[in-house]
Amino acid sequence: QVQLVESGGGLVQSGGSLRLSCVGSGFTLSLYAMAWFRQAPGKQREGVACISNREGTYYWIDDVKDRFTISRDAEKNALLLDMKYLTPEDTATYFCVHTRQRTCGDYAPTEGDFWGQGTQVTVSS
């Protein structure tokens, strides 16, 4: 069965870095567009970044384009998000998403997509 398990969140000071990991099981992660979403309390869930099956990357939030890097680790069947220069505005629960699509450009969450349980990122000022 498809499972997604996120890890790597925690408490970090402004300007610090974190690496989030999402280990997939029950499917080959490289075949699908995979995405990171985040949600802060009182705010709507928003897409952060996506990587397609052809390794094209997309950063939906302009502010993270020069700070975050989305990638895959094929050996571990994992999705990664390297985050640098973190700010309090990055504080949120980060979710790994199996889009069930091949590409990222037109993606919007739909019923049947697979989500992990999330990992909490807290950035102090």
Side-chain angles (χ1 to χ4, degrees):
Q1 62 186 48
V2 172
Q3 289 187 322
L4 301 168
V5 180
E6 301 100 331
S7 63
L11 176 63
V12 65
Q13 294 181 347
S14 293
S17 301
L18 287 172
R19 168 175 278 190
L20 305 185
S21 177
C22 169
V23 178
S25 60
F27 72 103
T28 301
L29 188 142
S30 64
L31 298 178
Y32 300 93
M34 299 290 297
W36 288 100
F37 277 65
R38 69 185 184 186
Q39 186 171 27
K43 298 182 180 180
Q44 294 183 335
R45 188 172 294 177
E46 61 181 348
V48 178
C50 186
I51 183 168
S52 76
N53 67 326
R54 291 178 288 185
E55 304 302 314
T57 56
Y58 303 82
Y59 298 91
W60 292 314
I61 302 175
D62 287 343
D63 183 59
V64 312
K65 290 180 178 179
D66 296 324
R67 299 187 296 118
F68 293 6
T69 302
I70 187 170
S71 62
R72 305 177 194 265
D73 184 332
E75 182 178 356
K76 297 179 179 179
N77 204 48
L79 178 72
L80 305 176
L81 185 68
D82 288 298
M83 304 185 294
K84 300 179 180 178
Y85 307 109
L86 286 162
T87 73
E89 287 71 34
D90 297 314
T91 295
T93 302
Y94 285 70
F95 298 90
C96 174
V97 185
H98 179 335
T99 69
R100 301 188 299 162
Q101 300 182 167
R102 306 297 182 182
T103 59
C104 299
D106 296 326
Y107 177 70
T110 59
E111 184 177 2
D113 294 348
F114 300 100
W115 292 66
Q117 66 179 355
T119 185
Q120 178 67 38
V121 172
T122 302
V123 184
S124 64
S125 60

